[in-house]
């Protein structure tokens, strides 16, 4: 299981491939068993839906 929980701030890549930060609001398991998170961008307040395993790699 992931080390993240609701309310954590995690990195993600936006559509322009820039690394931004989002606050996690919920988690969802997709068909292939991967976990994605729903969140809110910390700067623009845009809604985000992004794979959690990629966010974990962006931290490293």
């Amino acid at each position: 299981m992931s080390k993240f929980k609701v309310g954590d701030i995690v990195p993600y890549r936006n559509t322009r491939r820039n690394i931004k930060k989002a606050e996690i609001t919920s988690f969802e398991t997709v068909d292939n068993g991967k976990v994605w998170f729903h969140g809110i961008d910390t700067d623009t307040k845009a809604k985000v839906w992004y794979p959690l395993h990629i966010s974990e790699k962006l931290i490293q």
Side-chain angles (χ1 to χ4, degrees):
M1 188 63 189
S2 173
K3 59 186 173 184
F4 297 119
K5 59 186 181 308
V6 172
D8 285 350
I9 306 294
V10 296
Y12 76 97
R13 285 194 190 275
N14 67 6
T15 56
R16 295 186 176 158
R17 306 292 295 159
N18 298 323
I19 296 177
K20 309 273 283 185
K21 297 209 179 270
E23 180 179 350
I24 296 173
T25 57
S26 66
F27 296 97
E28 182 176 339
T29 303
V30 294
D31 291 339
N32 64 2
K34 301 275 187 184
V35 176
W36 287 49
F37 71 87
H38 291 273
I40 303 291
D41 185 288
T42 56
D43 293 330
T44 64
K45 307 302 182 209
K47 292 181 181 179
V48 174
W49 191 56
Y50 199 74
L52 195 58
H53 67 280
I54 295 176
S55 286
E56 290 171 341
K57 289 179 185 176
L58 291 175
I59 290 174
Q60 299 173 354

